[in-house]
Amino acid sequence: MVDRGELTDKAWAVIEPLLPPRQGGGRRWRDHRRVINAILWKLAHWCALA
């Protein structure tokens, strides 16, 4: 079950190829899906982004 503000597997399959690949070096990246779900959650709950 997908919660409000989270991507479905079908939606993620469309979005994932559009994101940049993970690269070595620098700081560790967060999982793209977790970041997008967090943004969607913030938008769905009208929370401040700061």
Side-chain angles (χ1 to χ4, degrees), residues 6-43:
E6 288 191 13
L7 289 171
T8 62
D9 291 336
K10 186 177 179 181
W12 179 245
V14 172
I15 294 170
E16 186 177 25
L18 303 174
L19 299 172
R22 290 186 172 202
Q23 298 176 355
R27 294 185 344 185
R28 250 184 12 188
W29 283 32
R30 301 255 184 212
D31 178 58
H32 288 297
R33 189 170 184 167
R34 287 184 63 197
V35 171
I36 292 174
N37 278 337
I39 292 168
L40 292 174
W41 187 90
K42 293 265 189 184
L43 292 172

